[in-house]
Amino acid sequence: MKKIAITGVIGSGKSAVSSILEKYGKYVIYTDKINKSLLCDANYIAKLAKIFPKAVKDGTVNKSLIRRQILHNNAKRLALNELSHKEIEQRVEKIIDNFNGEEIFCEIPLIVESGMKDCFDQIWCVVADLDTKIKRIEKRDNVSSIDAQKIIQCQKKDNELISLSDIVIENNGDLNKLKEEVGRLICTAIK
């Protein structure tokens, strides 16, 4: 079985690529969805409360408060990453271990930070220009342009991800072009 990671900085369009892969009948693991599911796990929430005591109340997590804190406090961001990456990696490994297909894709934004880059046979990096990424983040997360730029600055840069990737996919907004490129990669790059 071939294991392929889909990565890229926030706003690059990883989810668009993953959605197209699913339309081609490919199985995609979404680490962001796994991360969201952790917010329903009482053990995880208790660990999160130790890092962000003001952001957890009666077992409910205030994600926007956590987001604001990690944008301005690098130590809190690193502590959150350490906690969540370990949990996510265990769940991804379990899904892969139980999968019986020829290839499995995993959308994983923080592939370097998670320590999971060596878990995959190939890494596909999705890139977009800065203005496109900022507009996507503003729209998706309902944040200002300044906050969108801060979010981008907290992650690895495109060049760092490109250097460890096998495939680079440009995604500046032409969906038809993106569909063609993903279809071509399915036929040529996976084999």
Side-chain angles (χ1 to χ4, degrees), residues 7-81:
T7 195
V9 300
I10 189 167
S12 60
K14 297 175 297 296
S15 294
V17 170
S18 296
S19 177
I20 292 167
L21 285 165
E22 287 183 321
K23 287 177 183 166
Y24 279 108
K26 304 303 178 184
Y27 187 84
V28 180
I29 302 167
Y30 292 88
T31 57
D32 281 348
K33 288 181 182 179
I34 294 172
N35 192 42
K36 285 178 186 170
S37 74
L38 291 173
L39 299 178
C40 298
D41 182 316
N43 291 328
Y44 180 80
I45 292 171
K47 293 174 187 174
L48 199 59
K50 291 178 182 174
I51 303 168
F52 303 97
K54 293 179 181 177
V56 179
K57 185 173 184 174
D58 300 326
T60 302
V61 179
N62 183 332
K63 295 187 293 186
S64 62
L65 184 57
I66 290 175
R67 182 183 298 133
R68 283 195 302 271
Q69 288 185 29
I70 64 174
L71 284 178
H72 303 288
N73 186 324
N74 195 45
K76 293 239 185 210
R77 182 177 58 82
L78 293 173
L80 173 63
N81 285 348

Side-chain angles (χ1 to χ4, degrees), residues 174-185:
D174 185 335
L175 193 56
N176 288 328
K177 185 177 177 183
L178 185 63
K179 286 177 186 175
E180 288 175 15
E181 178 66 4
V182 171
R184 185 187 68 76
L185 290 171

Side-chain angles (χ1 to χ4, degrees), residues 46-140:
K47 293 174 187 174
L48 199 59
K50 291 178 182 174
I51 303 168
F52 303 97
K54 293 179 181 177
V56 179
K57 185 173 184 174
D58 300 326
T60 302
V61 179
N62 183 332
K63 295 187 293 186
S64 62
L65 184 57
I66 290 175
R67 182 183 298 133
R68 283 195 302 271
Q69 288 185 29
I70 64 174
L71 284 178
H72 303 288
N73 186 324
N74 195 45
K76 293 239 185 210
R77 182 177 58 82
L78 293 173
L80 173 63
N81 285 348
E82 185 177 334
L83 172 64
S84 62
H85 292 160
K86 197 177 302 180
E87 296 282 340
I88 291 168
E89 181 176 7
Q90 290 172 355
R91 292 169 192 226
V92 167
E93 286 174 353
K94 186 174 182 181
I95 294 168
I96 290 172
D97 288 346
N98 292 312
F99 186 75
N100 291 321
E102 288 183 29
E103 67 259 343
I104 189 166
F105 294 84
C106 183
E107 182 182 307
I108 181 164
L110 304 177
I111 193 164
V112 174
E113 297 87 339
S114 69
M116 292 181 64
K117 67 180 180 71
D118 294 330
C119 299
F120 298 96
D121 302 307
Q122 281 187 355
I123 298 174
W124 294 7
C125 180
V126 184
V127 297
D129 63 56
L130 183 60
D131 287 341
T132 300
K133 291 185 281 197
I134 290 170
K135 287 176 185 165
R136 287 174 179 161
I137 297 166
E138 287 175 325
K139 183 178 179 183
R140 187 192 71 197

